[in-house]
Amino acid sequence: MFPHFIVQGGKWLEGETRINGAKNAALKSMAASLLFKDKLVIENIPLVEDIKRMSELLENLGADIKIEGKTMIINPEKVGGKDIDPEIAKKIRASVVLTGPILAREKEVFFPHPGGCVIGKRPIDFFIEGWSAMGANIEETKSGYRIESQHMRGAEIVFKNISVTATETLMMTAVLAKGKTILKNAACEPEIPALAEFLNQCGASIKGAGTHTIEIEGTEGTLLESRGKAIKTIPDRIETGSFLVLGSLLGKPIKITECSPEDIAVPIAILEQAGVEIEKGGDWLRVTAAKRLKSVDIKTKEYPGFPTDLQSPFAVLMTQAEGECMVFETVFEGRLNYVEDLNRMGATITTCDPHRVLVRGKTELRGREIESPDIRAGLAFLIAAMTAKGESKVGNIYQIDRGYERIEERLNALGASIQRVKS
Ligand code: EPU
């Protein structure tokens, strides 16, 4: 038997919980360490499985990594590796963001087809087109891509669609290139300006991060220097939103601290429309279970729109709301594959097409045996199990551990009953 959670549903949650640093910000800071000459200190690192996989990838390339509490120190001085390990890359999609800094630093990179969550096709054409425009030679092999360029030069790159990791990767490649790069139709997720601001303090010249047009003036190969400055990982907006959903269902109330409410303004507005009362402070939120939840349509969109990573927890919430609503996933085409399991738990969800489902509520959920398909749907199942009547067994919890640190301990501290069974 593989590790799983045994969850007793129907327990109220009360107390305070602190939000961790954002996985999807910390992973990019780790990749950015390869743009540096000296050590990079990253604070507020979430100790999750994806961060461990990224550390392994960096260590394979020659980086020296130390973790002290929640601070990670990466020394890139001995980095010389050019190949991303395919076995580790299979487990983590974010391996692709390493390619930009390796290419910029080592003039060559091999990267295998990236893995990670099975939530859709997830092509890499924007990366390839971007590097081509910057003058790289690209060879596709059976196992991946070999990319080489002795002289990366700035270019104007127009993304056909908004992509978070393509924006970050090409932004990092451009930092060490020769001349100006302009990224158009770039992603605006808060992780991007947070990284750009720090890189600027260390010698980069990036303008417009956080908007759809980013301009980068390259250093022509001169590595950045942190000189002891640390990058503090911003709070995880997806974790914040997930705790808000839990609080809306089971909060008596719960207070969510060290978060950034402005980064999840749209999910908060949707919860309020559904009838949830949320008290807001500068860096905290307090949420009480709604007496009566109303159905609200959800349509995922790039930032500042409704995040695709919160789509599955919100669908669980909508099973407890009165009425009918549409959940429309516009970013990925494989991200509604969890609905059959929710139906087995008692939900009434009808699939309209690969992007849209209709949720009818309110339905009573009952404990079942379910397998986490990916990080976010895994957490959604945990929320469903906590809301359900009776006992559930949630399997494949490696997926949940990829994105949420010691989640059962934190939820149990609020009053949940979740037991991790190792085998
Ligand atoms: N796309 C292309 N070509 C490309 C790249 C992307 O067509 O070359 C398409 C994708 O197929 C998708 C759309 O563009 O339809 C947007 O995907 P994006 O590239 O923005 O996603 P990502 O960068 O691979 C990051 C997060 C995801 C998060 C999405 C959307 C990381 C490591 N991953 O993925 O996080 O869902 O942005 O916000 O930052 C998670 O943490 O569980 C997770 C999946």
Side-chain angles (χ1 to χ4, degrees):
M1 245 197 316
F2 295 106
H4 55 270
F5 287 137
I6 298 291
V7 185
Q8 309 299 333
K11 309 274 185 214
W12 291 105
L13 303 179
E14 191 171 8
E16 227 175 270
T17 195
R18 176 193 168 273
I19 294 301
N20 281 317
K23 161 184 85 83
N24 285 345
L27 287 169
K28 319 309 166 50
S29 305
M30 289 174 75
S33 69
L34 299 182
L35 301 174
F36 283 78
K37 189 171 164 192
D38 54 353
K39 288 182 191 162
L40 178 63
V41 178
I42 309 172
E43 292 174 347
N44 199 25
I45 276 261
L47 302 170
V48 295
E49 291 298 327
D50 272 15
I51 294 287
K52 293 183 197 158
R53 296 298 85 73
M54 192 61 138
S55 300
E56 290 161 9
L57 286 170
L58 280 166
E59 281 168 344
N60 274 346
L61 295 166
D64 177 66
I65 302 185
K66 289 195 176 53
I67 296 185
E68 292 164 7
K70 292 223 158 223
T71 301
M72 179 178 274
I73 303 149
I74 307 179
N75 185 347
E77 270 168 36
K78 298 211 174 96
V79 166
K82 301 179 175 69
D83 292 12
I84 295 179
D85 184 303
E87 280 313 303
I88 309 171
K90 246 191 244 165
K91 299 189 183 140
I92 168 177
R93 164 82 186 175
S95 55
V96 72
V97 291
L98 274 176
T99 53
I102 300 174
L103 181 61
R105 186 188 183 102
E106 304 297 328
K107 321 272 183 234
E108 187 182 329
V109 61
F110 167 79
F111 79 99
H113 297 289
C117 288
V118 190
I119 53 178
K121 288 199 237 47
R122 308 191 85 178
I124 47 158
D125 49 331
F126 302 162
F127 298 74
I128 301 292
E129 284 163 18
W131 288 317
S132 277
M134 294 177 83
N137 299 313
I138 298 161
E139 185 198 341
E140 189 172 359
T141 68
K142 246 195 242 158
S143 48
Y145 295 86
R146 170 84 44 202
I147 302 166
E148 178 275 324
S149 175
Q150 291 307 314
H151 308 284
M152 266 338 236
R153 53 168 197 269
E156 182 171 310
I157 297 165
V158 183
F159 295 114
K160 292 194 290 286
N161 235 315
I162 294 179
S163 162
V164 177
T165 44
T167 300
E168 292 162 331
T169 305
L170 287 159
M171 182 173 94
M172 288 196 264
T173 314
V175 162
L176 300 189
K178 182 178 179 190
K180 186 190 268 191
T181 297
I182 304 177
L183 304 178
K184 292 195 169 163
N185 201 22
C188 303
E189 270 64 5
E191 296 78 26
I192 299 169
L195 177 62
E197 272 165 37
F198 181 76
L199 296 180
N200 282 345
Q201 287 172 33
C202 303
S205 168
I206 305 171
K207 284 193 199 132
T211 74
H212 289 304
T213 304
I214 305 181
E215 288 190 20
I216 305 116
E217 197 63 62
T219 64
E220 221 176 308
T222 306
L223 293 169
L224 307 183
E225 286 185 67
S226 73
R227 297 175 200 255
K229 284 190 284 291
I231 177 164
K232 183 163 186 202
T233 311
I234 59 171
D236 195 317
R237 60 200 165 91
I238 306 304
E239 191 171 278
T240 308
S242 307
F243 275 106
L244 276 179
V245 168
L246 270 167
S248 309
L249 291 163
L250 301 163
K252 265 286 182 204
I254 59 173
K255 185 174 178 191
I256 301 165
T257 62
E258 293 182 49
C259 62
S260 177
E262 62 173 293
D263 289 348
I264 53 160
V266 171
I268 289 176
I270 288 185
L271 286 173
E272 287 176 336
Q273 206 187 335
V276 181
E277 266 180 47
I278 301 173
E279 243 184 284
K280 297 173 216 105
D283 67 349
W284 59 268
L285 295 159
R286 188 182 286 109
V287 55
T288 311
K291 287 197 184 69
R292 196 177 146 260
L293 280 168
K294 290 181 291 241
S295 286
V296 182
D297 289 337
I298 295 157
K299 183 176 177 184
T300 65
K301 194 119 189 22
E302 299 83 12
Y303 189 84
F306 187 92
T308 167
D309 291 342
L310 283 176
Q311 177 256 105
S312 50
F314 269 70
V316 172
L317 181 76
M318 286 300 116
T319 67
Q320 302 308 298
E322 281 167 28
E324 188 177 89
C325 68
M326 177 77 78
V327 175
F328 190 177
E329 170 58 58
T330 71
V331 181
F332 293 109
E333 64 288 310
R335 228 180 186 180
L336 289 161
N337 55 2
Y338 60 87
V339 300
E340 274 320 307
D341 280 316
L342 284 185
N343 282 345
R344 284 199 305 111
M345 293 181 79
T348 307
I349 307 178
T350 312
T351 300
C352 310
D353 60 47
H355 285 276
R356 288 177 304 166
V357 294
L358 262 182
V359 186
R360 284 191 199 90
K362 165 182 185 176
T363 49
E364 188 179 78
L365 299 181
R366 293 177 298 275
R368 286 280 181 273
E369 211 176 302
I370 35 188
E371 289 282 302
S372 309
D374 63 75
I375 308 180
R376 309 304 178 186
L379 193 81
F381 282 171
L382 201 54
I383 297 175
M386 289 167 71
T387 311
K389 211 169 171 182
E391 183 175 290
S392 294
K393 177 176 162 186
V394 182
N396 197 19
I397 57 175
Y398 174 76
Q399 288 296 332
I400 301 177
D401 291 336
R402 286 181 57 198
Y404 304 91
E405 183 185 325
R406 296 179 301 104
I407 190 70
E408 77 282 18
E409 287 175 32
R410 295 159 69 201
L411 292 172
N412 287 343
L414 294 172
S417 171
I418 306 172
Q419 194 195 347
R420 181 183 289 262
V421 181
K422 293 241 162 86
S423 59

